[in-house]
Amino acid sequence: MKKSILIILMLITTIVQAFSQKSVQGIVTDKNGLPLIGVNILIKGASKGTVTDLDGKYKFPGVQSNDVLVFRYLGFETEEVKVGTQQKINVMLEASNVQLEEMVVVGYGTSKKIDLTGSVVSIDVSDLAKTSTTNFDQA
């Protein structure tokens, strides 16, 4: 008798959990209404996520009503939206005023320009063409 009650309770719990999950979809745009390609959409506090397609559209299955979706895109402010009862969530991201620091690519990695030590030289290709050398090192 106890086993059958336990099995029934487990079945009810599984059914309730399956129906509490839903699919959310929508479009992510900028302030001009243009679709944003490759926006990262994550569930806050979880590792589950998706990305917008070429039309700025996304579909996120398995979302629960108490989840918060986090929309992140380089150069734009991060937006958080609670799912609740919504099945369609369209988001407009605002451009960010934060500027990225200037980076310099070196032979073995990257470094901030301010942290770079040693000499940095830039040359124009047209200057190389004017010289008569047999290899790149001589140029």
PDB file of all heavy atoms in Angstrom, residues 4 40-41 46-47 49 64-65 73 78 80-83 88 98 100 104 107 115 128 134 138-139:
ATOM      1  N   SER A   4       2.565   1.833  -3.421  1.00  0.00           N
ATOM      2  CA  SER A   4       1.692   2.373  -4.466  1.00  0.00           C
ATOM      3  C   SER A   4       1.429   3.863  -4.251  1.00  0.00           C
ATOM      4  O   SER A   4       1.365   4.635  -5.210  1.00  0.00           O
ATOM      5  CB  SER A   4       0.377   1.591  -4.539  1.00  0.00           C
ATOM      6  OG  SER A   4      -0.309   1.678  -3.305  1.00  0.00           O
ATOM      7  N   ASN A  40      23.716  36.277 -26.562  1.00  0.00           N
ATOM      8  CA  ASN A  40      23.705  35.168 -25.609  1.00  0.00           C
ATOM      9  C   ASN A  40      22.520  35.325 -24.673  1.00  0.00           C
ATOM     10  O   ASN A  40      22.338  36.380 -24.072  1.00  0.00           O
ATOM     11  CB  ASN A  40      25.000  35.136 -24.793  1.00  0.00           C
ATOM     12  CG  ASN A  40      26.194  34.786 -25.635  1.00  0.00           C
ATOM     13  OD1 ASN A  40      26.133  33.871 -26.443  1.00  0.00           O
ATOM     14  ND2 ASN A  40      27.266  35.517 -25.458  1.00  0.00           N
ATOM     15  N   ILE A  41      21.740  34.255 -24.535  1.00  0.00           N
ATOM     16  CA  ILE A  41      20.595  34.258 -23.637  1.00  0.00           C
ATOM     17  C   ILE A  41      20.785  33.101 -22.665  1.00  0.00           C
ATOM     18  O   ILE A  41      20.859  31.940 -23.084  1.00  0.00           O
ATOM     19  CB  ILE A  41      19.275  34.094 -24.416  1.00  0.00           C
ATOM     20  CG1 ILE A  41      19.189  35.163 -25.507  1.00  0.00           C
ATOM     21  CG2 ILE A  41      18.083  34.184 -23.471  1.00  0.00           C
ATOM     22  CD1 ILE A  41      18.160  34.870 -26.564  1.00  0.00           C
ATOM     23  N   ALA A  46      22.218  29.466 -13.903  1.00  0.00           N
ATOM     24  CA  ALA A  46      22.328  28.138 -14.509  1.00  0.00           C
ATOM     25  C   ALA A  46      23.252  28.218 -15.713  1.00  0.00           C
ATOM     26  O   ALA A  46      23.595  29.299 -16.181  1.00  0.00           O
ATOM     27  CB  ALA A  46      20.952  27.631 -14.933  1.00  0.00           C
ATOM     28  N   SER A  47      23.640  27.061 -16.223  1.00  0.00           N
ATOM     29  CA  SER A  47      24.532  27.041 -17.380  1.00  0.00           C
ATOM     30  C   SER A  47      23.783  26.761 -18.677  1.00  0.00           C
ATOM     31  O   SER A  47      24.394  26.556 -19.710  1.00  0.00           O
ATOM     32  CB  SER A  47      25.616  25.977 -17.173  1.00  0.00           C
ATOM     33  OG  SER A  47      25.023  24.711 -17.017  1.00  0.00           O
ATOM     34  N   GLY A  49      21.609  27.763 -21.909  1.00  0.00           N
ATOM     35  CA  GLY A  49      21.445  28.979 -22.686  1.00  0.00           C
ATOM     36  C   GLY A  49      21.209  28.714 -24.153  1.00  0.00           C
ATOM     37  O   GLY A  49      21.206  27.574 -24.611  1.00  0.00           O
ATOM     38  N   GLN A  64      11.332  27.490 -16.995  1.00  0.00           N
ATOM     39  CA  GLN A  64      10.294  27.486 -15.975  1.00  0.00           C
ATOM     40  C   GLN A  64       9.833  28.909 -15.691  1.00  0.00           C
ATOM     41  O   GLN A  64      10.551  29.864 -15.960  1.00  0.00           O
ATOM     42  CB  GLN A  64      10.813  26.827 -14.701  1.00  0.00           C
ATOM     43  CG  GLN A  64      11.178  25.365 -14.916  1.00  0.00           C
ATOM     44  CD  GLN A  64      11.650  24.700 -13.642  1.00  0.00           C
ATOM     45  OE1 GLN A  64      11.725  25.314 -12.585  1.00  0.00           O
ATOM     46  NE2 GLN A  64      11.979  23.425 -13.741  1.00  0.00           N
ATOM     47  N   SER A  65       8.642  29.032 -15.143  1.00  0.00           N
ATOM     48  CA  SER A  65       8.041  30.355 -14.944  1.00  0.00           C
ATOM     49  C   SER A  65       8.804  31.225 -13.947  1.00  0.00           C
ATOM     50  O   SER A  65       8.727  32.442 -14.008  1.00  0.00           O
ATOM     51  CB  SER A  65       6.585  30.219 -14.524  1.00  0.00           C
ATOM     52  OG  SER A  65       6.491  29.474 -13.336  1.00  0.00           O
ATOM     53  N   TYR A  73      25.115  40.976 -24.935  1.00  0.00           N
ATOM     54  CA  TYR A  73      25.678  41.190 -26.270  1.00  0.00           C
ATOM     55  C   TYR A  73      26.756  42.248 -26.160  1.00  0.00           C
ATOM     56  O   TYR A  73      26.558  43.281 -25.504  1.00  0.00           O
ATOM     57  CB  TYR A  73      24.573  41.632 -27.232  1.00  0.00           C
ATOM     58  CG  TYR A  73      24.919  41.538 -28.681  1.00  0.00           C
ATOM     59  CD1 TYR A  73      25.273  40.333 -29.261  1.00  0.00           C
ATOM     60  CD2 TYR A  73      24.878  42.657 -29.494  1.00  0.00           C
ATOM     61  CE1 TYR A  73      25.572  40.244 -30.609  1.00  0.00           C
ATOM     62  CE2 TYR A  73      25.172  42.583 -30.845  1.00  0.00           C
ATOM     63  CZ  TYR A  73      25.522  41.363 -31.394  1.00  0.00           C
ATOM     64  OH  TYR A  73      25.813  41.271 -32.729  1.00  0.00           O
ATOM     65  N   THR A  78      23.387  44.720 -20.505  1.00  0.00           N
ATOM     66  CA  THR A  78      22.783  43.431 -20.187  1.00  0.00           C
ATOM     67  C   THR A  78      21.352  43.651 -19.715  1.00  0.00           C
ATOM     68  O   THR A  78      21.079  44.564 -18.939  1.00  0.00           O
ATOM     69  CB  THR A  78      23.596  42.722 -19.087  1.00  0.00           C
ATOM     70  OG1 THR A  78      24.927  42.522 -19.574  1.00  0.00           O
ATOM     71  CG2 THR A  78      22.985  41.386 -18.714  1.00  0.00           C
ATOM     72  N   GLU A  80      17.820  41.767 -18.071  1.00  0.00           N
ATOM     73  CA  GLU A  80      17.273  40.610 -17.372  1.00  0.00           C
ATOM     74  C   GLU A  80      15.756  40.680 -17.414  1.00  0.00           C
ATOM     75  O   GLU A  80      15.175  41.728 -17.136  1.00  0.00           O
ATOM     76  CB  GLU A  80      17.757  40.565 -15.921  1.00  0.00           C
ATOM     77  CG  GLU A  80      19.248  40.330 -15.788  1.00  0.00           C
ATOM     78  CD  GLU A  80      19.690  40.179 -14.349  1.00  0.00           C
ATOM     79  OE1 GLU A  80      18.830  40.169 -13.433  1.00  0.00           O
ATOM     80  OE2 GLU A  80      20.911  40.068 -14.127  1.00  0.00           O
ATOM     81  N   VAL A  81      15.120  39.536 -17.760  1.00  0.00           N
ATOM     82  CA  VAL A  81      13.660  39.481 -17.870  1.00  0.00           C
ATOM     83  C   VAL A  81      13.171  38.229 -17.160  1.00  0.00           C
ATOM     84  O   VAL A  81      13.640  37.125 -17.446  1.00  0.00           O
ATOM     85  CB  VAL A  81      13.212  39.446 -19.354  1.00  0.00           C
ATOM     86  CG1 VAL A  81      11.700  39.348 -19.443  1.00  0.00           C
ATOM     87  CG2 VAL A  81      13.722  40.650 -20.106  1.00  0.00           C
ATOM     88  N   LYS A  82      12.213  38.401 -16.225  1.00  0.00           N
ATOM     89  CA  LYS A  82      11.597  37.253 -15.563  1.00  0.00           C
ATOM     90  C   LYS A  82      10.571  36.643 -16.507  1.00  0.00           C
ATOM     91  O   LYS A  82       9.762  37.344 -17.110  1.00  0.00           O
ATOM     92  CB  LYS A  82      10.944  37.675 -14.261  1.00  0.00           C
ATOM     93  CG  LYS A  82      10.363  36.496 -13.510  1.00  0.00           C
ATOM     94  CD  LYS A  82      10.007  36.828 -12.098  1.00  0.00           C
ATOM     95  CE  LYS A  82       9.315  35.629 -11.520  1.00  0.00           C
ATOM     96  NZ  LYS A  82       9.817  35.079 -10.381  1.00  0.00           N
ATOM     97  N   VAL A  83      10.588  35.312 -16.640  1.00  0.00           N
ATOM     98  CA  VAL A  83       9.731  34.619 -17.593  1.00  0.00           C
ATOM     99  C   VAL A  83       8.267  34.714 -17.182  1.00  0.00           C
ATOM    100  O   VAL A  83       7.420  35.133 -17.971  1.00  0.00           O
ATOM    101  CB  VAL A  83      10.165  33.143 -17.751  1.00  0.00           C
ATOM    102  CG1 VAL A  83       9.179  32.400 -18.626  1.00  0.00           C
ATOM    103  CG2 VAL A  83      11.565  33.060 -18.314  1.00  0.00           C
ATOM    104  N   LYS A  88       6.213  34.574 -25.188  1.00  0.00           N
ATOM    105  CA  LYS A  88       6.923  35.350 -26.200  1.00  0.00           C
ATOM    106  C   LYS A  88       7.537  36.566 -25.512  1.00  0.00           C
ATOM    107  O   LYS A  88       6.831  37.393 -24.950  1.00  0.00           O
ATOM    108  CB  LYS A  88       5.978  35.781 -27.318  1.00  0.00           C
ATOM    109  CG  LYS A  88       6.676  36.419 -28.481  1.00  0.00           C
ATOM    110  CD  LYS A  88       5.765  36.575 -29.671  1.00  0.00           C
ATOM    111  CE  LYS A  88       6.589  36.971 -30.872  1.00  0.00           C
ATOM    112  NZ  LYS A  88       5.804  36.979 -32.092  1.00  0.00           N
ATOM    113  N   VAL A  98      30.193  52.091 -22.259  1.00  0.00           N
ATOM    114  CA  VAL A  98      31.473  51.628 -21.744  1.00  0.00           C
ATOM    115  C   VAL A  98      32.390  51.321 -22.918  1.00  0.00           C
ATOM    116  O   VAL A  98      32.015  50.624 -23.851  1.00  0.00           O
ATOM    117  CB  VAL A  98      31.293  50.362 -20.881  1.00  0.00           C
ATOM    118  CG1 VAL A  98      32.633  49.844 -20.410  1.00  0.00           C
ATOM    119  CG2 VAL A  98      30.388  50.647 -19.706  1.00  0.00           C
ATOM    120  N   LEU A 100      35.872  49.703 -24.495  1.00  0.00           N
ATOM    121  CA  LEU A 100      36.838  48.655 -24.227  1.00  0.00           C
ATOM    122  C   LEU A 100      38.237  49.252 -24.231  1.00  0.00           C
ATOM    123  O   LEU A 100      38.524  50.184 -24.966  1.00  0.00           O
ATOM    124  CB  LEU A 100      36.739  47.567 -25.300  1.00  0.00           C
ATOM    125  CG  LEU A 100      35.394  46.858 -25.383  1.00  0.00           C
ATOM    126  CD1 LEU A 100      35.409  45.877 -26.546  1.00  0.00           C
ATOM    127  CD2 LEU A 100      35.098  46.129 -24.094  1.00  0.00           C
ATOM    128  N   VAL A 104      46.776  45.109 -27.448  1.00  0.00           N
ATOM    129  CA  VAL A 104      47.836  44.880 -28.418  1.00  0.00           C
ATOM    130  C   VAL A 104      48.077  43.377 -28.471  1.00  0.00           C
ATOM    131  O   VAL A 104      48.243  42.732 -27.444  1.00  0.00           O
ATOM    132  CB  VAL A 104      49.138  45.607 -28.011  1.00  0.00           C
ATOM    133  CG1 VAL A 104      50.259  45.269 -28.966  1.00  0.00           C
ATOM    134  CG2 VAL A 104      48.898  47.091 -27.934  1.00  0.00           C
ATOM    135  N   GLY A 107      53.224  38.250 -30.014  1.00  0.00           N
ATOM    136  CA  GLY A 107      53.474  36.939 -30.601  1.00  0.00           C
ATOM    137  C   GLY A 107      52.999  35.774 -29.766  1.00  0.00           C
ATOM    138  O   GLY A 107      52.738  34.702 -30.274  1.00  0.00           O
ATOM    139  N   ASP A 115      50.279  48.239 -20.450  1.00  0.00           N
ATOM    140  CA  ASP A 115      51.162  47.312 -19.752  1.00  0.00           C
ATOM    141  C   ASP A 115      52.307  46.818 -20.630  1.00  0.00           C
ATOM    142  O   ASP A 115      53.193  46.122 -20.164  1.00  0.00           O
ATOM    143  CB  ASP A 115      50.377  46.093 -19.262  1.00  0.00           C
ATOM    144  CG  ASP A 115      49.341  46.475 -18.207  1.00  0.00           C
ATOM    145  OD1 ASP A 115      49.553  47.494 -17.520  1.00  0.00           O
ATOM    146  OD2 ASP A 115      48.346  45.752 -18.072  1.00  0.00           O
ATOM    147  N   LEU A 128      58.198  49.282 -47.318  1.00  0.00           N
ATOM    148  CA  LEU A 128      58.929  48.048 -47.573  1.00  0.00           C
ATOM    149  C   LEU A 128      59.138  47.836 -49.070  1.00  0.00           C
ATOM    150  O   LEU A 128      60.166  47.314 -49.499  1.00  0.00           O
ATOM    151  CB  LEU A 128      58.188  46.844 -46.979  1.00  0.00           C
ATOM    152  CG  LEU A 128      58.265  46.670 -45.470  1.00  0.00           C
ATOM    153  CD1 LEU A 128      57.413  45.484 -45.035  1.00  0.00           C
ATOM    154  CD2 LEU A 128      59.691  46.477 -45.016  1.00  0.00           C
ATOM    155  N   THR A 134      66.573  41.132 -49.870  1.00  0.00           N
ATOM    156  CA  THR A 134      66.361  39.765 -50.323  1.00  0.00           C
ATOM    157  C   THR A 134      65.444  38.971 -49.406  1.00  0.00           C
ATOM    158  O   THR A 134      64.901  37.943 -49.808  1.00  0.00           O
ATOM    159  CB  THR A 134      67.705  39.028 -50.440  1.00  0.00           C
ATOM    160  OG1 THR A 134      68.368  39.083 -49.172  1.00  0.00           O
ATOM    161  CG2 THR A 134      68.570  39.659 -51.509  1.00  0.00           C
ATOM    162  N   GLN A 138      65.879  41.674 -43.515  1.00  0.00           N
ATOM    163  CA  GLN A 138      66.670  42.808 -43.970  1.00  0.00           C
ATOM    164  C   GLN A 138      65.795  44.056 -44.137  1.00  0.00           C
ATOM    165  O   GLN A 138      66.275  45.164 -43.988  1.00  0.00           O
ATOM    166  CB  GLN A 138      67.362  42.489 -45.300  1.00  0.00           C
ATOM    167  CG  GLN A 138      68.482  41.499 -45.152  1.00  0.00           C
ATOM    168  CD  GLN A 138      69.113  41.181 -46.510  1.00  0.00           C
ATOM    169  OE1 GLN A 138      68.611  41.583 -47.546  1.00  0.00           O
ATOM    170  NE2 GLN A 138      70.244  40.461 -46.455  1.00  0.00           N
ATOM    171  N   ALA A 139      64.539  43.861 -44.441  1.00  0.00           N
ATOM    172  CA  ALA A 139      63.632  44.995 -44.621  1.00  0.00           C
ATOM    173  C   ALA A 139      63.449  45.684 -43.305  1.00  0.00           C
ATOM    174  O   ALA A 139      63.348  46.878 -43.192  1.00  0.00           O
ATOM    175  CB  ALA A 139      62.310  44.531 -45.174  1.00  0.00           C
TER     176      ALA A 139
END
